[in-house]
Amino acid sequence: MAPNLRESWWIRDVEVPTRVVLAPMAGVSVQAFRRQGRRYGAGLVCSEMVSCAGIEHGNERTLGYLRVASDEHPLAIQIFGSDPRAMAEAARMVESAGADLVDMNFGCPVRKVTKTGAGAHLLQDADLAYRITEAVASAVSVPVSVKMRRGVENGSRSCLEVGPRLVEAGAATLTLHPRSAQQMYTGYADHTLTAELVELVDVPVIASGDVTSHAKANAVLAATGAAAVMVGRGAQGNPWALREMIDGDAAAPTREEVAAELILFIRETVRELGERRASRFLKKFYGWYLGRGRFPRPFKQELVQLDSTEEVVTRLLAAAPGAAEIVAQLEAELPDPADEILLDQMPISIYGGG
């Protein structure tokens, strides 16, 4: 029988309403992106990587960057680092910020992360990975999750050694992207490793990598026994992919729906990051939203050249006048911004908002 992606599941005492998780993506997973993902059915959403060193230093430029809104729960905030004490302290702040889970990145293959002993490098130091997990799990009352790759080198099976030790140290769930760090995003994700990991641990496993459709999600869940699948790049500028993943509803959005979602995303990102940072951050999203034959290719180039986000919104409404009514409906359903939890010292993303 095919798995029901609408079925809820549990990470310890946190109920996740669907079996699709929106991946943490550097330079992408701002609050507006996460909230949109929840609206389209993602059962769990994740922040981008946050440096535990940045938390310690309390960089003033990023105060208020990470926010937790009432409509994005359940939410995992992801931290990275290589020092157990600093990671534990960062985890306490993440819990105070209102996250439902503390997620740790043991899989990032980017050199600026691995050279510090963090990310995928920890798959080569199982003892340190264990100590970090134990320190973080002991520091917070919310569940702790870990996202990892298969290992650093091609063909590595380190995840099968490290994974059970992380559970022993206190991890309540594991996410496996079964590519090596060397592969980056090339080749394919070997989910036979995911199936092996499921057999080795007694906590839910989330399958990440090459899950691009409803059929693929069902196939991966059926073949691996994983509790859920994680969707990443396929949802960039394309929240409708989440709906298709869960329900098999492949109906393409109208031009007005696309414009409306982009306008809301622009406005919410400006509210979060400020006009100057948001204007730079958003440019990559124009192509993601407007591609796939939704708008003529020159239109995206026109938007990228505009000086302000308000000019972009004006141009979108001119191209799709019916979007205005949809935007009004979407904005009426947003929670009061006063419901957000803001801390005096907020974490700093190494990517600075993109």
Side-chain angles (χ1 to χ4, degrees):
M1 185 173 66
N4 179 8
L5 281 92
R6 279 278 174 198
E7 184 178 48
S8 66
W9 55 292
W10 294 82
I11 300 174
R12 209 178 71 194
D13 53 347
V14 174
E15 184 175 13
V16 183
T18 72
R19 294 183 179 269
V20 171
V21 178
L22 187 59
M25 289 177 281
V28 174
S29 298
V30 293
Q31 186 189 75
F33 182 79
R34 304 190 306 258
R35 293 168 75 181
Q36 184 186 65
R38 286 290 292 121
R39 282 195 292 109
Y40 275 84
L44 174 67
V45 296
C46 309
S47 77
E48 65 179 286
M49 290 191 304
V50 179
S51 166
C52 70
I55 292 175
E56 280 198 308
H57 295 123
N59 187 294
E60 292 293 329
R61 191 181 74 83
T62 61
L63 292 179
Y65 173 62
L66 281 187
R67 306 164 185 259
V68 177
S70 60
D71 61 344
E72 57 180 323
H73 296 288
L75 164 70
I77 292 181
Q78 186 182 85
I79 59 177
F80 76 96
S82 58
D83 177 62
R85 180 203 56 79
M87 287 285 280
E89 187 56 40
R92 292 187 189 98
M93 181 172 283
V94 163
E95 182 176 32
S96 297
D100 301 286
L101 291 92
V102 176
D103 186 54
M104 297 188 296
N105 187 304
F106 289 3
C108 179
V110 177
R111 174 64 179 162
K112 68 168 67 176
V113 174
T114 59
K115 72 180 182 181
T116 68
H121 179 82
L122 289 165
L123 297 172
Q124 293 181 313
D125 192 341
D127 290 341
L128 178 56
Y130 181 97
R131 294 199 305 274
I132 291 172
T133 304
E134 185 177 46
V136 168
S138 299
V140 296
S141 60
V142 297
V144 171
S145 59
V146 179
K147 186 173 188 288
M148 59 184 179
R149 290 202 170 213
R150 66 180 296 164
V152 172
E153 298 178 352
N154 292 337
S156 172
R157 294 169 60 85
S158 295
C159 60
L160 302 181
E161 173 198 349
V162 177
R165 294 200 62 189
L166 301 181
V167 173
E168 179 186 337
T173 186
L174 303 173
T175 298
L176 178 61
H177 183 161
R179 282 183 171 89
S180 70
Q182 284 184 350
Q183 278 182 274
M184 299 292 284
Y185 295 99
T186 63
Y188 72 98
D190 181 2
H191 283 294
T192 62
L193 283 173
T194 310
E196 290 186 61
L197 182 62
V198 168
E199 290 297 316
L200 290 173
V201 298
D202 59 0
V203 299
V205 173
I206 301 168
S208 175
D210 298 348
V211 182
T212 54
S213 67
H214 179 72
K216 183 67 173 180
N218 280 331
V220 168
L221 290 180
T224 64
V229 293
M230 180 171 279
V231 180
R233 288 170 290 167
Q236 293 174 346
N238 191 30
W240 302 275
L242 298 170
R243 183 176 63 193
E244 190 280 331
M245 187 80 60
I246 296 166
D247 295 329
D249 178 4
T254 65
R255 178 172 289 192
E256 289 73 21
E257 289 172 329
V258 172
E261 286 292 351
L262 178 52
I263 289 168
L264 181 66
F265 186 79
I266 290 169
R267 288 176 174 172
E268 287 298 291
T269 302
V270 170
R271 185 178 68 84
E272 183 180 354
L273 302 182
E275 170 67 23
R276 186 175 66 87
R277 288 176 63 195
S279 183
R280 297 196 307 269
F281 171 82
L282 287 163
K283 291 185 185 298
K284 57 181 173 283
F285 282 88
Y286 301 153
W288 290 342
Y289 274 93
L290 305 178
R292 302 176 177 88
R294 294 168 181 166
F295 282 80
R297 187 182 297 270
F299 186 61
K300 184 211 81 166
Q301 296 302 325
E302 179 183 339
L303 297 188
V304 169
Q305 299 303 316
L306 296 176
D307 293 329
S308 72
T309 57
E310 268 308 307
E311 290 177 282
V312 173
V313 169
T314 299
R315 188 65 188 89
L316 285 166
L317 289 173
E325 183 177 351
I326 302 174
V327 172
Q329 293 171 349
L330 292 172
E331 290 183 327
E333 295 168 0
L334 292 176
D336 188 335
D339 292 339
E340 289 180 329
I341 297 175
L342 299 177
L343 299 181
D344 292 334
Q345 295 287 316
M346 293 304 295
I348 172 175
S349 161
I350 60 165
Y351 290 86

